[in-house]
Structure formats: structure tokens, C-alpha cells
Amino acid sequence: MGLGLLASRTLKSSRILSSQFSRFRPIVTKPELQSPDASAAAAAPQPEPTPPAPKKPVAGARVHFTNPDDAIEVFVDGFPVKIPKGMTVLQACEIAGVDIPRFCYHSRLSIAGNCRMCLVEVEKSPKPVASCAMPALPGMKIKTDTPLAKKAREGVMEFLLMNHPLDCPICDQGGECDLQDQSMAFGSDRGRFTEVKRSVVDKNLGPLVKTVMTRCIQCTRCVRFATEVAGVQDLGMLGRGSGEEIGTYVEKLMTSELSGNVIDICPVGALTSKPFAFKARNWELKGTETIDVTDAVGSNIRIDSRGPEVMRIIPRLNEDINEEWISDKTRFCYDGLKRQRLNDPMIRGADGRFKAVSWRDALAVVAEVALQVKPEEIVGVAGQLSDAESMMALKDLLNNMGSNNVWSEGTGTSPNADLRYRYLMNSSIAGLEKADVFLLVGTQPRVEAAMVNARIRKTVRATNAKVGYIGPPTEFNYDCQHLGTGPQTLLEIAEGRHSFCSVILYAKNPAIIVGAGLFERKDKDAIFSAVEAIAKYGKVIRPDWNGLNVLLLNAAQAAALDLGLVPESNDSIASAKFLYLMGADDVNLDKVPADAFVVYQGHHGDRSVYRANVILPSAAYTEKEGTYENTEGCTQQTLPAVPTVGDARDDWKIIRALSEVAGIRLPYDTLRGIRSRMRTVAPNLLRMDEIEPATFGPSLSPDITQEISLTPFRPAVENFYMTDSITRASKIMAQCSAMLLKE
Amino acid sequence: MWLAPPLSPAKAASRSKDRFTETSDNVLGFWSLPIDSSCTTHMAFTLRSVKVPSNSVSLEEAKGRVFDFFRSACRSIPAIMDIYNLDDVVTASQLRSTVASEIRKNSHVTNPKVIDMLLFKGMEELNNIVEHAKQRHHIIGQYVVGRQGLVQDLNTKDEGMSDFLKNFYKSNYF
């Protein structure tokens, strides 16, 4: 927020100010600050100092003029700034490069204007104005640095600190607290308050958010976040005056998949992270900017670690993907990284127990078995958290052994990897905001991809977009029309017999979102052709708009399909003699023959370990550098934040080492080497932070002769909080699913 | 039975210790024999009397001292093998070549002062050994098994291994 800059600026100017009057700052308030006229008069006789060069916009704020006629000019501290009509005074100041202190204002929430911290002086206005709530008018002369504005801020700080406890030394927000910073920068050095501070009863918001309500300054950011972004009406304001407090109206937990974000937006330590409470101080943490892999969105996160331990995960701003929010699963899954970890290579002995061995022995055993079985009996499955490099290596290894039975879990039988539009979110996550009609086919975005759901909710709130849903009954946090539960309804819409058809027909930018849970259905090609029929008559795919979307479930899926991890035969797992599971815990292992040799390479002792013969420990996403492609086709990279656990190795290194032990050495020794191999298969996986759109549309799709089955769609995610090996090992996620999913 | 127990290693060690004390009492008989017969410098193998010899003036003199040191080391080898009971693990010639290789490790040194310093350290070490200041496993670990450590992988397969695989077995970070 640039508060350091802000503070230094203030200190600098105050030094100049005090030198004007005397060397010692008087305790009493200065008479010339009492009335704005006097201060103006005092300032007037001075010679106008040469104005410093115009400042850069705060935090890279940009102005986007939709219509050049709407531009107006205002003056901030004497500098002219061009801004679009309708911007507030605070936004104009930001563009002029002046950061206004604020507590209640948040750029992604509605304006409350109740903290009064952002008061500035506007010429010809009788009193200071709250800049966050005042629209900028043409020719307005805004003064942010005058004695009047300073006095106003000082007064507001004094009032805020009146009832704020002095427990900064034991407060988890300490060091990153807006109130702390701004009271240092703008507050008075003493208060006049002598009575007893008020205290407020703490609220129980569930296992994620810790509340110390006495610290609350009633900025209502959390209330606005809950009602506007998260779409739950759980939080609200109770009481009036000094009895005013934030709370749930009745004894109730906050049941939102985005509830953790109130921790970030709370400017004080009233709402803090419960799992992080008293664990670390923010200045002793090392931040690593990386991405999340617990769903297919690829939210941008920062992993704060201390030594070898991940202490917390917080969001990073990315307007195209997660804005500045992350889901609770992303934020709180990190304690799973400390439990159930595999740290040594292990071989299952004759007694059925695992015995820790050296890497040398483990690889030798695996290689020996792999070379004994027939090539067509070798099967490899990549897990949902696999990075692109290791999937490339796995595919190369198995292909070199003569097998082509390698796939990524969740892509179902005979996935269609030839046409990228069939597995990507073609309109992109940010592009969903342009849509005015949504048709959700067999997908529950709220649990499958909470950030995509937040985007849909944002669109619905902003433009009253209509949402139709086909699938099992589920909860939405926006208005949604439940059209039906299965392919029957889809067919009706495709054939134009349904009332929703006209909604799609008259929509400007209709968007269809198909859930990746349908990949598991046998009749998925027929369903896709029905969806494409809707897309055709609804003009969903046009040169300027592509609204045909697939919402993937797992972080590895898009990259796996780009790399061509497509199995040769559908029931290869039933005839497998050598099964290589690279972090695959959600494959059905019931059909695996009893004499098959199962290798599990992964970081958690999860479901598949029960069947494994050999365990090869690998690194989790916080410990390795890996490429991931999200559901919209945007390639991003994780960076190692903490060292690996025990004797674990990076995934691709294990496969590369195994290939050498087995005598079919893969031709890459470094991450660069394996990436240049990836370039020959899927060059888009090397272009970081770029969306690679699908080239071809449905015009190329083959004719479908499949019969559509009428069994209703099933939910793809049963428990939002526990979807992969990390979250299943997490205690916090277990608490969440026990407490929040009860009803 | 009590008088003639089977010879256990501990017993054997104590026996050799006895012999050592026995011989070391006889100063002339054991210690002075290998050393004084050829050493021109005053090398005495008791810590108290270790004196720093005067500096070598030339490389030749330093070289000569090295040979003298090697000879004295070789002469003490039979005694060392006896007191540490090394007959069943190593032969005298193996130990001699170990001493030679230890000396050859520093063959690149040409500064006489440095050679003197290394010689002093060598003498100190030899002194410690023959004084029985070490124990059997020290000698075996340092001079018999070698510096690579006890765990030696003599697998012939490793020879054709790539650097990647060698590093992989060591750690994840390379």
C-alpha cells in the first residue's frame, strides 16, 4: 500500500512545517490549524515553492477511458489530472500519485464512507470531505497535504484509538496492521482519552477466522465482503453508537468458501487467521510468490515460510485469475503439508509392511520389475497435482518402454486432447464478466472452482446476468434457475424445446460452462455434441466472443491434455502388471490385478499407498519448481518456498533417474533440458503467464454417433475442503468439513 | 579352565598392551632401536621431548628429512602392528604403502618451511601412534580402510553412472 512512502512523506513535510513555527512542537493544538481560513491565510504570503515533478500513480493505478468525452480534469495538490467521469476524489488522488489513508474504503467493495480517515480538503467546500465517497467534479481543487486535512486525520485517529486495545505486542496483525501504520504516520502523539475502553464479546466464526472484536474499528469491510463478494448474509452490524459491533446476528458460523479473505481485508487485528494465531510474526517470514494447485484455477498466492515450514498462504493480486481473493482450501490447506508425508523410499516386504530402503535399492527394484513385464502391461497415471515437467518425463519413460498407456486422472476414458477448445475455458476467467447469460452444465462452480464462481457472482451482481443450471441440486450464492438434473434437459435445450432457449438466443454474450466431471461419463461425446448444438444456434462462438467453456477440476489436467497424456486403451488398468502412479490417489484401483506391481511416487501417504509395492517420495508443490496450466490455458509456475521433506526428490528427477537405472536413459538432466523437450510437444507451456487460446472451434469436431444416456449428472466434488492428497491430510480442512458441511 | 581361557580380542589387546608396557620400560630395547640407529635429528618419541627441529636450509635437506621420517615410520610398523593387533587386517607392506601415499599426497609442496611443518605433523602423528595414544579402530579407520569411510560401494554398475544419477543419490539439490 506504500504506507512507508506515505509515512516518510508526511514526516518530511511535518518537519518543514514545524521549522516554520518553532523548534519544539507545542502540546496544545496550533491556533492556525483551528480554522481553514487562517491556515490558508498563513500559507498565502509564502512564495510558491517550485512544484516537485508529478508523482507516479499509486500502485500502478491505471485510467481506462471508455469515452474520451467523459474525461474531466481535477487538480490534486496543484497538479492537473485527467480522470474519467464518475471517479471518486480518492481514486483521482491515487491516479495523481497521492495515497490517501483509509480504513473502510476498498476498491473491490462498495463504498461505506464511515471511517472518515480519507478526509481531504476541497477548495470552496466548507468542511473536509470524505474522499472515498465524494465523486470528483470537473475543475475540483483537491488538497491532501494541508493543515486542515492533517488535523482531520489526527482527530479521526484519536477517535479510532480511543476504544482500540493497546495489545499490539500480542496481536497477530502486528507489523502489517493498517491502524498501526497509519497511527504512526498520521496520528497524534498523545490522546486525551482517560476513561475505560469498551470491550466487545468475541464471535465464533468457525475454524478459520479468529475474532478479537474489541480491536474492531467498525470499518464494515468484512460485512461488505461477505454480502457482496462471498454472497453470504452471515455478517452484519448490530447496535448503535459506542455499542456498535460486527457479528453474526444469531450464533452461526461463517459458511463461505471465501471466508478467509476477511482476514486480509480487515485493516486491524479483529479478524485474523485461526490456524496462524500466535505461530509467527510477519517480519520473520520469507515470502515466495507462487501459484496454487488445489484446483484448476491456479490462484496466485504467496507462501510465507519460516525455515523449512510453511506458515501461511495469502493471495497475490492477479486481475485475470483470482483478483485478490483465494478460496479457503487454497489458504488453509498448508497444514496438510506437515502430515502424512512420505520421506523415504520404501519397499513392501513379504509381511506386507513397508521397509525404508535407499534410493539405489528402490530404483533397482522398480527398474527390474519394469523390464520384466510386457510393454502393453505397463500403465502410468499422473495425479491431479502433477506438474507438466514430470508428466512429460513420465510419458517419455513409458513410451520408451513401449507402452502408451499413460494418462492423468480426472480426464476420463478416451479424453479428447486433439481439440483444445474441448477442455479449456475459452472465454477466460476474466472474460466471464462480459457474459450476460450463463448455462452451467453438470458443474457446481462453487465447489469445483471457487474463484470462477466468484467471477460469475460478480457478473451476476453487476449486470444482472441470468444463470441456468443443469445438474444435481446444489447451493448457489447468486440467483440461478435450476433447469433440470440430467441430459434430458440438455437435449431439450439443444433441440429448442426448452424455455431457456430464448434466453440464450436473445443474449448478447452467452456463456456455456461444462463441468469436467462429465469427462467420466461414457456418453461424454454425445453430451458435448449436444452442448455444441446449443452453442451453434445460440451463437456462442463468434469471432469476437467465445463462450463455450469447460471448467476443469484439477491443476494437472490442462497441461496433461496439452502434452497428450491420452491412454491407448480404456481398460488398461485391469490388465496392468506394472502400474506407475505419479501422485495419483483418485484412480480406482479395485480392478488392478493382485499380481500387479504398483509403484507410488508422491508426497503423501494417501489412498493409493495402501496398494503400492514401492513408494518413491517426491516433493509437494511448495517445494518444487513446476509448470502448471490452469483451466483457461494460462501457464504459470510454482517456485520452491521450503526444502523437501526427508529424502524426497523432485518428481521429474525420480523418473529421469529411474530411466537410467532401467537402461533407457531420458535425454535431459536439467529443468531447462526437460523444458526444451516440452517445447517440442506443447510450446505454450513455456510461455509463462500467458493464455494460449484454442485455435480451432467446433467446426472440426468429428460427427458423433454415440447414444446419450439419460442418467442424471452427478456432483464432481463431494467435499469442497478435501479433494486431493494434501487437503485430505490437513487437520484444518477436516475440521472445516466436519463443522461447515454439516447441514 | 580359568587359567587358560580362549583368546578373546579384548584379551589379545590387553596382552599386547602388556607386551608394550613391558618393552617400553626397556627404553633402549624397543624405542631407541629403530630410531637412533639412523636418525641424525634428535627424534624422541615422548611428547615431552618433541622438539621442533631447526629449519631446513634447502629443499635437499628437507627432502632428506622426509626420507628419514619415512624410514623411521617404516621401522615402527612392526611394533605398531603388534600393539594394535593389526596382523589379521593388514600386512606390513600395505601399511608401508599407506605411509608412502600419505607422504606423496604432499608431493607438490616445494617450500622447505612447509615441508618442515608437514614433517612435524607427521612425526606428531607417528609419535601418537606408537605411544598407543590411539585405539585400534582409529588406525583401522584412518590407515587400513582408507579415507573414503567404511561404507564403500564397490558395485561395478556405478562406474557407468551419469553425473545426474550420482547427484540424485546424494541429494535433491544439484
Side-chain angles (χ1 to χ4, degrees):
Chain A
M1 214 182 122
L3 271 169
L5 192 101
L6 205 68
S8 68
R9 198 187 302 146
T10 318
L11 290 176
K12 211 188 292 165
S13 51
S14 72
R15 209 179 301 130
I16 296 163
L17 201 86
S18 61
S19 67
Q20 285 171 13
F21 304 111
S22 78
R23 280 195 63 80
F24 303 103
R25 197 155 170 263
I27 296 168
V28 291
T29 50
K30 299 171 202 97
E32 60 273 11
L33 303 188
Q34 296 288 14
S35 70
D37 301 333
S39 73
Q46 288 177 35
E48 196 66 26
T50 47
K55 292 163 188 150
K56 286 205 178 106
V58 173
R62 273 168 298 176
V63 224
H64 177 66
F65 293 98
T66 41
N67 184 0
D69 301 335
D70 281 347
I72 56 169
E73 196 177 49
V74 295
F75 297 88
V76 178
D77 291 338
F79 295 109
V81 183
K82 273 214 159 47
I83 53 161
K85 215 182 260 174
M87 259 193 174
T88 61
V89 172
L90 190 143
Q91 284 168 319
C93 292
E94 261 179 4
I95 285 160
V98 179
D99 205 350
I100 306 287
R102 82 288 299 267
F103 289 114
C104 70
Y105 174 79
H106 192 279
S107 53
R108 278 168 226 282
L109 304 176
S110 66
I111 293 162
N114 56 1
C115 76
R116 317 308 287 180
M117 191 62 199
C118 60
L119 292 176
V120 294
E121 194 179 342
V122 173
E123 223 169 80
K124 299 200 186 80
S125 156
K127 48 184 185 171
V129 298
S131 62
C132 69
M134 170 68 98
L137 300 173
M140 209 178 220
K141 290 200 172 58
I142 304 157
K143 290 174 187 164
T144 64
D145 221 13
T146 58
L148 178 79
K150 277 181 192 151
K151 178 101 196 312
R153 287 170 195 162
E154 225 173 86
V156 169
M157 280 310 307
E158 202 175 333
F159 274 123
L160 287 177
L161 294 174
M162 198 165 80
N163 273 323
H164 193 81
L166 299 173
D167 60 353
C168 301
I170 57 134
C171 176
D172 270 313
Q173 193 86 349
E176 50 187 358
C177 175
D178 285 358
L179 191 70
Q180 212 175 26
D181 294 344
Q182 295 187 27
S183 68
M184 292 305 288
F186 306 106
S188 165
D189 53 355
R190 63 207 60 200
R192 286 165 282 192
F193 178 72
T194 52
E195 285 94 86
V196 182
K197 287 179 191 272
R198 73 165 191 160
S199 66
V200 182
V201 179
D202 292 345
K203 312 290 183 293
N204 180 14
L205 293 186
L208 302 177
V209 184
K210 181 190 161 190
T211 59
V212 184
M213 288 326 248
T214 310
R215 294 181 191 147
C216 178
I217 56 168
Q218 283 82 41
C219 71
T220 67
R221 274 189 192 179
C222 50
V223 177
R224 282 174 285 146
F225 175 84
T227 49
E228 289 161 23
V229 179
V232 290
Q233 313 292 328
D234 289 351
L235 289 180
M237 190 71 121
L238 299 156
R240 308 260 318 179
S242 64
E244 197 175 38
E245 39 184 279
I246 304 280
T248 49
Y249 302 103
V250 289
E251 189 67 26
K252 190 171 181 263
L253 306 181
M254 192 173 170
T255 52
S256 165
E257 69 285 0
L258 300 177
S259 67
N261 293 301
V262 298
I263 298 163
D264 289 334
I265 57 165
C266 182
V268 295
L271 305 175
T272 51
S273 166
K274 213 172 236 179
F276 182 65
F278 308 129
K279 289 282 189 300
R281 281 306 200 174
N282 74 309
W283 56 81
E284 51 189 21
L285 300 175
K286 182 191 84 172
T288 309
E289 305 207 325
T290 178
I291 60 150
D292 171 57
V293 299
T294 52
D295 54 26
V297 177
S299 302
N300 287 219
I301 55 170
R302 196 182 84 202
I303 296 179
D304 280 352
S305 58
R306 189 179 59 186
E309 209 181 341
V310 176
M311 298 309 291
R312 64 171 177 182
I313 292 175
I314 51 177
R316 205 151 51 91
L317 180 73
N318 187 330
E319 295 285 354
D320 297 329
I321 296 172
N322 58 322
E323 300 183 279
E324 61 184 84
W325 321 120
I326 49 173
S327 71
D328 285 353
K329 185 165 57 169
T330 306
R331 187 186 297 264
F332 293 110
C333 71
Y334 61 87
D335 76 319
L337 294 166
K338 295 172 204 155
R339 286 190 180 78
Q340 294 277 72
R341 289 301 295 268
L342 303 172
N343 52 4
D344 275 315
M346 282 185 262
I347 298 178
R348 197 190 285 277
D351 57 347
R353 289 176 167 277
F354 279 114
K355 199 168 150 281
V357 293
S358 69
W359 271 105
R360 212 176 280 264
D361 298 343
L363 290 185
V365 167
V366 174
E368 200 191 322
V369 176
L371 292 176
Q372 277 169 0
V373 299
K374 282 187 229 144
E376 60 271 20
E377 290 168 347
I378 298 176
V379 175
V381 187
Q384 45 172 301
L385 306 178
S386 306
D387 53 300
E389 284 87 356
S390 57
M391 287 192 286
M392 183 79 257
L394 181 68
K395 184 169 161 64
D396 279 351
L397 173 70
L398 263 61
N399 288 0
N400 280 2
M401 285 177 166
S403 159
N404 201 16
N405 283 315
V406 54
W407 72 90
S408 164
E409 63 185 8
T411 48
T413 52
S414 60
N416 195 331
D418 296 331
L419 295 164
R420 282 184 92 227
Y421 83 93
R422 276 211 169 175
Y423 57 87
L424 288 185
M425 176 155 277
N426 294 306
S427 57
S428 83
I429 296 173
L432 287 178
E433 284 182 35
K434 285 187 224 142
D436 50 0
V437 165
F438 291 91
L439 176 61
L440 310 177
V441 182
T443 179
Q444 297 88 38
R446 194 170 175 188
V447 289
E448 288 174 21
M451 295 328 301
V452 171
N453 192 56
R455 226 26 116 127
I456 300 174
R457 176 173 161 79
K458 189 180 174 190
T459 315
V460 171
R461 255 182 73 85
T463 64
N464 280 326
K466 281 200 172 60
V467 184
Y469 167 68
I470 308 173
T474 183
E475 260 187 70
F476 282 93
N477 48 9
Y478 38 82
D479 282 341
C480 175
Q481 200 183 338
H482 193 182
L483 306 174
T485 57
Q488 182 69 47
T489 322
L490 190 69
L491 280 179
E492 279 172 21
I493 299 174
E495 287 157 15
R497 291 185 279 123
H498 200 280
S499 58
F500 200 73
C501 297
S502 58
V503 179
I504 296 177
L505 266 179
Y506 293 115
K508 221 158 130 199
N509 291 327
I512 305 174
I513 301 179
V514 184
L518 302 185
F519 284 165
E520 302 285 357
R521 280 176 73 104
K522 289 225 161 48
D523 59 340
K524 75 182 176 72
D525 287 332
I527 289 174
F528 264 90
S529 68
V531 169
E532 273 159 24
I534 301 172
K536 205 173 165 195
Y537 81 72
K539 296 198 179 54
V540 174
I541 300 173
R542 305 191 302 263
D544 61 326
W545 169 251
N546 188 343
L548 183 59
N549 298 307
V550 177
L551 180 57
L552 294 179
L553 288 170
N554 308 329
Q557 258 173 333
L561 292 169
D562 269 4
L563 290 172
L565 265 74
V566 177
E568 202 169 39
S569 67
N570 287 331
D571 52 350
S572 53
I573 209 161
S575 59
K577 287 279 179 296
F578 178 81
L579 180 59
Y580 199 97
L581 302 173
M582 195 173 70
D585 286 302
D586 293 282
V587 280
N588 190 358
L589 294 180
D590 297 342
K591 281 197 216 152
V592 178
D595 61 338
F597 189 81
V598 180
V599 180
Y600 181 77
Q601 170 188 330
H603 39 78
H604 274 78
D606 205 39
R607 292 171 182 168
S608 294
V609 165
Y610 292 108
R611 178 62 188 84
N613 295 85
V614 172
I615 293 174
L616 305 176
S618 69
Y621 75 105
T622 52
E623 296 152 13
K624 66 180 171 188
E625 185 178 339
T627 307
Y628 289 88
E629 185 182 352
N630 77 354
T631 183
E632 51 175 356
C634 180
T635 308
Q636 299 180 101
Q637 205 177 32
T638 58
L639 288 174
V642 289
T644 50
V645 173
D647 210 12
R649 303 280 190 270
D650 289 349
D651 280 299
W652 73 268
K653 283 181 184 162
I654 297 173
I655 292 168
R656 160 68 181 75
L658 176 63
S659 75
E660 187 170 330
V661 175
I664 31 171
R665 191 170 145 182
L666 294 175
Y668 27 75
D669 282 356
T670 56
L671 214 50
R672 264 180 83 148
I674 197 164
R675 293 212 173 125
S676 66
R677 162 74 182 131
M678 268 156 59
R679 177 179 285 125
T680 59
V681 181
N684 59 306
L685 289 175
L686 274 85
R687 291 197 282 273
M688 289 297 158
D689 302 321
E690 268 180 44
I691 294 180
E692 177 80 15
T695 319
F696 302 110
S699 55
L700 282 178
S701 61
D703 291 334
I704 301 299
T705 51
Q706 213 177 28
E707 196 64 35
I708 203 159
S709 103
L710 293 181
T711 45
F713 297 139
R714 282 201 324 226
V717 175
E718 285 139 28
N719 181 353
F720 165 71
Y721 294 103
M722 291 173 134
T723 50
D724 51 61
S725 58
I726 297 176
T727 48
R728 276 194 290 261
S730 160
K731 193 179 162 194
I732 306 168
M733 291 293 105
Q735 284 174 347
C736 286
S737 31
M739 295 176 80
L740 304 179
L741 299 175
K742 217 178 282 167
E743 50 273 329
Chain B
M1 255 316 248
W2 283 105
L3 294 172
L7 195 68
S8 68
K11 198 71 185 168
S14 74
R15 199 192 59 181
S16 65
K17 181 84 187 300
D18 291 342
R19 192 187 295 169
F20 170 68
T21 45
E22 202 175 279
T23 47
S24 60
D25 286 340
N26 180 0
V27 175
L28 286 174
F30 180 66
W31 281 125
S32 53
L33 188 105
I35 300 151
D36 283 357
S37 60
S38 70
C39 269
T40 48
T41 51
H42 296 281
M43 266 198 281
F45 284 107
T46 45
L47 200 66
R48 228 172 292 144
S49 59
V50 168
K51 284 203 183 74
V52 182
S54 55
N55 284 350
S56 310
V57 270
S58 64
L59 189 61
E60 279 68 41
E61 194 187 332
K63 240 179 202 170
R65 284 186 183 182
V66 172
F67 285 120
D68 288 342
F69 169 69
F70 179 59
R71 270 182 222 120
S72 63
C74 289
R75 285 189 188 110
S76 47
I77 280 175
I80 292 166
M81 289 182 67
D82 198 33
I83 60 173
Y84 291 102
N85 205 14
L86 296 173
D87 294 285
D88 47 348
V89 287
V90 75
T91 61
S93 78
Q94 277 173 337
L95 276 184
R96 264 197 300 277
S97 51
T98 310
V99 175
S101 70
E102 288 291 310
I103 292 174
R104 286 213 176 87
K105 260 190 200 166
N106 298 310
S107 59
H108 59 281
V109 180
T110 51
N111 186 345
K113 278 187 174 176
V114 177
I115 296 173
D116 280 352
M117 184 272 292
L118 290 168
L119 265 178
F120 183 80
K121 290 176 97 172
M123 274 179 237
E124 203 181 14
E125 174 78 8
L126 183 60
N127 190 23
N128 285 343
I129 291 170
V130 296
E131 258 196 328
H132 214 165
K134 299 199 170 205
Q135 293 187 357
R136 188 172 183 249
H137 67 269
H138 292 126
I139 308 298
I140 291 175
Q142 273 177 293
Y143 300 106
V144 178
V145 176
R147 301 254 153 153
Q148 298 96 313
L150 285 167
V151 187
Q152 270 183 318
D153 204 20
L154 299 168
N155 202 342
T156 44
K157 266 165 133 185
D158 281 8
E159 280 158 23
M161 224 162 61
S162 71
D163 287 345
F164 177 91
L165 201 54
K166 280 180 195 158
N167 290 331
F168 178 84
Y169 286 143
K170 271 185 221 145
S171 101
N172 186 35
Y173 298 102
F174 54 88

